[in-house]
Amino acid sequence: MAFKAMTSKEVTKKVFNKENLFVLDVRNESDFQDWKIEGRNFRYLNIPYFELLDGIEEIMDKIPADQEILVVCAKEGSSVMVAEMLSDAGLDVSYLQGGMKAWSEHLEPVKVGDLKDGGEVYQFVRIGKGCLSYMVISNGEAAIIDATRMTDLYLEFAEGIGATITHVFDTHLHADHISGGRAIAEQTNATYWLPPKDATEVTFDYEPLEGGIDVTIGETKINIHSLYSPGHTIGSTSFVVDEKFLLSGDILFIDSIGRPDLAGKAEDWVGDLRESLYTRYRELSEELVVLPAHFMIIDELNDDGSVAEKLGTLFEKNHGLNIEDENEFRKLVTENLPPQPNAYQEIRETNMGKINPDTEKQREMEIGPNRCAVR
Amino acid sequence: MEANKVLDAKGLACPMPIVKTKKAMNELESGQVLEVHATDKGAKNDLTAWAKSGGHELIKHEEENDVFKFWIKKG
């Protein structure tokens, strides 16, 4: 039988459509345990490729004959080898093109809504890592929020719809991924905004993003109104776009809330986090559609692949917004936290401009899930 | 460290460093040591896990000018 390549885009479609897929992950066990391709109806078998060098007979009875099969490894090479062996044994299989490296970098644009006077908002779903970034487009101008380092994709997307990028924002200094914001602003002459309280150590110029600032995109006065909401970092700032969307950064997610410890200040910032979530956000309209900077679990995706929910619904359903007792809240966000993101200190230093690792090193630093949330 | 055989797997991408290591290992006697040089970043975790699952012992590893060196004793 034949074997063929499956792209990250094709796998993303299967995740969005909740299709069935049998994932044969041939990376070593610790890498698989740490991070894998997630899909609601995906099934898994993890067996390292180096256990299969003498043949695949021992796993043949564990591989379903009636399901689509995808062989996955870190960079592609080993999955091609195993896919070929399975194909020689009579199975119809695919391998993941570019491996988990490509999966980590894939961005899928999903439209999340229209603006009142024309224009639209797109969410870029980084499906493999759970990072979400945004493009707000109005009258030929575009703003980008929380861009990843895969900057070409945003530039091409803006060009494709005939928009000029005029403003680039980071809601906070990211610890889980390398920001593409500064690079995009440099290439397009756009203004780069960063919260000054997160930027005390940065080595570059930026426009200070503080609460109460209004930025207009396009001629139709689409307002991006900033709202100081510390807690995940001391500078964390949210945006209300067009009085309709709440870009919540890493403060509030769909089924979880931001963790306050990634800059080493959990105890200091837990009060800020509570104030942002339980007081400042409470003053906002419950009709706002929350657009976070991350998802943690695949169940947070809507049917169209977007990650968005009304603020009122989150006040009802998000556990992190419903902890009456302050001590209990403090415990949740400071104790038993998930492991910190891979290389998060180096990632923060890169985002400050202190170190400039090459692309290969940046890829390696970003390996794994984002881990910015607590549930 | 004294090795009975040296395998140059520099410049090879996964899975080749392990494929070659396995072949070289087949030619050694139990207790003999194979020295492997590789540049693939994944080699370290994979060789460690492979050696363990095959009953071999990873005696030592070091990194020198982006080259990873491993000494594996055949089990």
Side-chain angles (χ1 to χ4, degrees), chain A residues 105-126:
Chain A
E105 297 189 341
H106 181 69
L107 297 180
E108 191 69 30
V110 181
K111 185 175 163 179
V112 285
D114 290 308
L115 302 172
K116 277 184 235 134
D117 297 324
E120 43 202 6
V121 180
Y122 284 89
Q123 182 176 57
F124 291 76
V125 182
R126 187 175 180 182

Side-chain angles (χ1 to χ4, degrees), chain A residues 228-248:
Chain A
Y228 181 49
S229 51
H232 175 63
T233 64
I234 190 64
S236 285
T237 302
S238 310
F239 299 100
V240 177
V241 176
D242 202 28
E243 291 159 14
K244 187 173 174 187
F245 301 99
L246 172 63
L247 274 67
S248 58

Side-chain angles (χ1 to χ4, degrees), chain A residues 27-28 30-31 49-51 53-54 73 75-78 81 360-361 364, chain B residues 13-16 18-19 22 40-42 45-47 49-51 53-54:
Chain A
R27 293 174 300 153
N28 66 56
S30 59
D31 290 348
Y49 67 92
F50 46 79
E51 311 258 320
L53 297 177
D54 288 330
C73 72
K75 284 180 287 193
E76 183 183 294
S78 303
M81 178 186 80
E360 194 51 43
K361 175 75 182 158
E364 202 186 303
Chain B
C14 189
M16 290 320 289
I18 297 231
V19 170
K22 187 176 188 306
D40 188 278
K41 287 218 171 79
N45 281 340
D46 289 358
L47 267 173
W50 171 80
S53 81

Side-chain angles (χ1 to χ4, degrees), chain A residues 81-271:
Chain A
M81 178 186 80
V82 174
E84 191 169 6
M85 292 165 94
L86 290 168
S87 149
D88 288 346
L91 289 172
D92 200 358
V93 297
S94 304
Y95 65 89
L96 177 62
Q97 193 171 76
M100 291 302 279
K101 187 167 101 175
W103 181 243
S104 172
E105 297 189 341
H106 181 69
L107 297 180
E108 191 69 30
V110 181
K111 185 175 163 179
V112 285
D114 290 308
L115 302 172
K116 277 184 235 134
D117 297 324
E120 43 202 6
V121 180
Y122 284 89
Q123 182 176 57
F124 291 76
V125 182
R126 187 175 180 182
I127 185 78
K129 202 171 160 58
C131 301
L132 304 167
S133 47
Y134 296 90
M135 194 180 290
V136 177
I137 301 147
S138 168
N139 266 45
E141 285 185 26
I144 300 178
I145 297 106
D146 289 332
T148 67
R149 65 182 164 76
M150 279 66 79
T151 55
D152 287 351
L153 194 118
Y154 305 98
L155 299 175
E156 283 161 19
F157 192 87
E159 199 184 325
I161 51 170
T164 306
I165 298 165
T166 51
H167 293 276
V168 181
F169 301 90
D170 269 318
T171 54
H172 61 288
L173 188 85
H174 299 284
D176 65 294
H177 68 274
I178 293 159
S179 168
R182 185 159 49 108
I184 292 173
E186 278 168 11
Q187 283 185 58
T188 58
N189 285 322
T191 309
Y192 179 45
W193 299 82
L194 194 61
K197 286 185 178 173
D198 279 4
T200 49
E201 294 177 58
V202 305
T203 59
F204 47 83
D205 291 332
Y206 64 95
E207 200 63 35
L209 172 66
E210 287 167 299
I213 286 175
D214 285 287
V215 175
T216 303
I217 307 298
E219 290 165 10
T220 49
K221 301 219 191 290
I222 302 304
N223 272 343
I224 295 185
H225 177 77
S226 63
L227 173 77
Y228 181 49
S229 51
H232 175 63
T233 64
I234 190 64
S236 285
T237 302
S238 310
F239 299 100
V240 177
V241 176
D242 202 28
E243 291 159 14
K244 187 173 174 187
F245 301 99
L246 172 63
L247 274 67
S248 58
D250 279 9
I251 290 293
L252 175 61
F253 306 113
I254 301 302
D255 193 31
S256 53
I257 58 174
R259 63 192 284 178
D261 65 312
L262 295 182
K265 302 269 178 65
E267 290 296 330
D268 295 358
W269 293 354
V270 61

Side-chain angles (χ1 to χ4, degrees), chain B residues 1-65:
Chain B
M1 181 170 296
E2 203 58 29
N4 299 84
K5 189 180 170 74
V6 178
L7 170 71
D8 181 4
K10 292 198 292 291
L12 296 178
C14 189
M16 290 320 289
I18 297 231
V19 170
K20 295 223 168 203
T21 301
K22 187 176 188 306
K23 271 193 186 144
M25 211 60 158
N26 285 342
E27 293 160 15
L28 294 183
E29 303 290 325
S30 180
Q32 290 188 314
V33 174
L34 176 70
E35 181 179 336
V36 183
H37 299 177
T39 46
D40 188 278
K41 287 218 171 79
K44 190 181 154 194
N45 281 340
D46 289 358
L47 267 173
T48 308
W50 171 80
K52 200 176 162 198
S53 81
H56 309 300
E57 187 189 351
L58 180 65
I59 311 171
K60 186 178 139 182
H61 63 87
E62 58 184 44
E63 191 182 341
E64 191 181 301
N65 301 327

